[in-house]
Amino acid sequence: SQTIHQWPATLVQPVGSPLSLECTVEGTSNPNLYWYRQAAGRGLQLLFYSVGIGQISSEVPQNLSASRPQDRQFILSSKKLLLSDSGFYLCAWSVTTGSDIQYFGAGTRLSVL
Amino acid sequence: GENVEQHPSTLSVQEGDSAVIKCTYSDSASNYFPWYKQELGKRPQLIIDIRSNVGEKKDQRIAVTLNKTAKHFSLHITETQPEDSAVYFCAAGGSYIPTFGRGTSLIVHP
């Protein structure tokens, strides 16, 4: 069966520090991968999605970036965190881009102080 | 692009009552409509979905209806229980990335 791992679960970072969140999927090949941010416990904002290695589409321009160095690995990064980057970050995968279930990771709660 | 509106933003019911959450979408090419439940501090999880070739789907106390002509779909929960309390998200997808609604916070009072 397929599983998705996301870490860390909780992160407290100072303003201006770098960020690296990692997500891996097991049990499937060539998944579509997504990064979402959820502020104030509501609303799923799509940040990035990827349909293959090295293929990243950005939905919201900001100081975050994403990379997919391996088929089942998706990384969310920032060189310098802002206070507004605080939130709940969710990684997800699906078989297809649209007409399919999205399976979410457990999420990372990021607090930027 | 697709635009999904979800109402209400908050819904408070008594245990045993029914709850209905409604969503509208704008793109007639959308053909997949999932509903996700997110308990506090946890990940969203699919509870039911419907495709555009079906008008209604039911799974125990949960049902979803789809009106393609009017471009709206609804989630129905009957005999609500306290454990149904959560945020519910609708979404509309097709050949593109699904667009999510803003969520409905359902509170079931014992």
Side-chain angles (χ1 to χ4, degrees):
Chain A
S1 63
Q2 302 90 359
T3 56
I4 178 169
H5 302 281
Q6 185 181 343
W7 67 93
T10 306
L11 192 59
V12 181
Q13 292 285 95
V15 170
S17 64
L19 173 74
S20 181
L21 303 181
E22 190 163 341
C23 172
T24 60
V25 180
E26 295 177 358
T28 187
S29 297
N30 197 31
N32 293 287
L33 297 171
Y34 312 83
W35 278 111
Y36 290 89
R37 178 168 61 199
Q38 192 173 32
R42 298 277 296 273
L44 292 165
Q45 179 188 33
L46 179 64
L47 301 175
F48 301 95
Y49 69 93
S50 171
V51 298
I53 296 175
Q55 301 179 59
I56 308 294
S57 296
S58 173
E59 291 293 301
V60 183
Q62 51 203 323
N63 70 320
L64 298 172
S65 62
S67 62
R68 185 170 177 173
Q70 299 180 44
D71 180 43
R72 291 168 289 179
Q73 183 185 29
F74 206 23
I75 297 172
L76 182 69
S77 304
S78 174
K79 292 182 179 178
K80 286 186 177 182
L81 285 169
L82 306 172
L83 286 173
S84 57
D85 291 324
S86 294
F88 191 47
Y89 288 81
L90 288 158
C91 179
W93 76 273
S94 68
V95 173
T96 67
T97 52
S99 302
D100 205 351
I101 303 167
Q102 291 201 338
Y103 300 93
F104 288 86
T108 296
R109 187 158 303 282
L110 172 65
S111 298
V112 182
L113 306 177
Chain B
E2 176 64 278
N3 182 46
V4 176
E5 299 283 342
Q6 182 173 347
H7 299 280
S9 59
T10 304
L11 180 59
S12 183
V13 301
Q14 288 296 128
E15 182 177 0
D17 288 350
S18 295
V20 180
I21 303 170
K22 299 180 180 180
C23 288
T24 60
Y25 62 100
S26 60
D27 192 337
S28 57
S30 291
N31 59 16
Y32 177 63
F33 306 93
W35 286 88
Y36 294 85
K37 174 184 180 182
Q38 185 179 28
E39 296 178 357
L40 189 62
K42 297 191 176 180
R43 74 187 81 188
Q45 291 189 298
L46 182 81
I47 54 171
I48 195 167
D49 56 6
I50 192 168
R51 298 190 184 272
S52 59
N53 58 346
V54 175
E56 183 174 359
K57 184 176 179 181
K58 189 173 183 179
D59 182 3
Q60 298 182 339
R61 296 187 295 109
I62 295 173
V64 57
T65 57
L66 171 64
N67 183 327
K68 287 173 54 180
T69 304
K71 296 197 189 72
H72 67 71
F73 55 111
S74 300
L75 177 71
H76 305 253
I77 306 175
T78 58
E79 301 173 24
T80 54
Q81 300 168 4
E83 52 264 38
D84 294 329
S85 296
V87 177
Y88 292 80
F89 293 96
C90 66
S95 58
Y96 45 82
I97 306 299
T99 300
F100 283 84
R102 294 179 63 83
T104 296
S105 178
L106 173 64
I107 302 166
V108 180
H109 299 281

